[in-house]
Structures are given as structure tokens and as C-alpha cells.
Amino acid sequence: MDTGRRRIWTLEQKLAFVAEMERCDNIAAYSRQHDIATSLLYTWRRECRYALAARQVTGADRDHAPMFVPVVADTPQPKSHDVAIEVELGGAVVRIGRTASPGLATAVLEALQVRR
């Protein structure tokens, strides 16, 4: 189902698709109906489950938005040939290595986006 385009989904849209998918008997048919890759729906569902599990473990209050903890690496400067993407935001530098999966890179970059 390669349509040759990339679409940006909001968090609300992803949650709505996942919620509707959970009530669906045939997920493959559901994904075709909405023109979304089945694997993407499963990825969103897995991410939702991880977020819910993290919230339960930390005991986060429902009124608070998810937060990220600053990460400090053992080595401040990786070898330049290991870095594929480097993003600096608010004084923090995130380096994504060449061997990182596209899903991980996407998740990191989405987490850095500022909500307006």
C-alpha cells in the first residue's frame, strides 16, 4: 500500500484510529478502508500501551501531560561517522546514529516538536 506520500497524523487522530481499531474484527480491512498501513496501526497501538504502562508504573496523575527526562550520555561527543542526524533544541543536543531504526528516529523527532 505504498501511496508515495507521507502524512502527518496528530496524536488525537492516532488515538482515535487505535480506539476504533480495538473494536474492529478485521484490522486489515480497517486499515485498507482508512488507507493506513496495518503495521502503522499496530505501531500506534503498541506505543499507546507503552505510554499507559509507563503511566501506571510512575503513578502519573491523569491531569499531567507526559514529560521527558533529560538524558546525559557517558561520552559527550560520538564519533562523527556514527551520527546520521543531529538536532539541537533549547540547549540540548540529540544525535541519532546511522543504525537507529526509522521508527525510533521518528519518535525522537516527534517528541522534540513544540506544541503550538
Side-chain angles (χ1 to χ4, degrees):
M1 176 188 310
D2 186 15
T3 59
R5 68 181 191 271
R6 282 196 174 250
R7 294 174 286 181
I8 304 297
W9 302 99
T10 65
L11 178 59
E12 291 77 18
Q13 289 172 317
K14 292 177 185 180
L15 292 172
F17 281 125
V18 169
E20 192 174 338
M21 181 182 84
E22 291 300 314
R23 296 187 300 269
C24 181
D25 291 334
N26 187 338
I27 295 174
Y30 177 78
S31 70
R32 283 190 301 272
Q33 175 186 359
H34 293 285
D35 193 28
I36 301 173
T38 306
S39 61
L40 187 57
L41 290 171
Y42 284 117
T43 298
W44 291 345
R45 182 174 69 177
R46 184 179 60 248
E47 290 171 351
C48 285
R49 287 180 179 166
Y50 289 161
L52 289 173
R55 174 176 259 179
Q56 290 172 353
V57 168
T58 62
D61 188 21
R62 292 178 189 244
D63 296 334
H64 292 87
M67 296 173 49
F68 291 93
V69 178
V71 176
V72 178
D74 291 337
T75 56
Q77 295 293 330
K79 297 174 185 170
S80 61
H81 66 277
D82 291 339
V83 177
I85 300 172
E86 182 173 304
V87 178
E88 184 173 347
L89 182 65
V93 177
V94 176
R95 294 178 185 93
I96 301 173
R98 294 187 188 283
T99 59
S101 71
L104 175 62
T106 301
V108 169
L109 294 175
E110 286 178 352
L112 291 174
Q113 289 180 343
V114 178
R115 288 186 180 220
R116 296 171 198 236

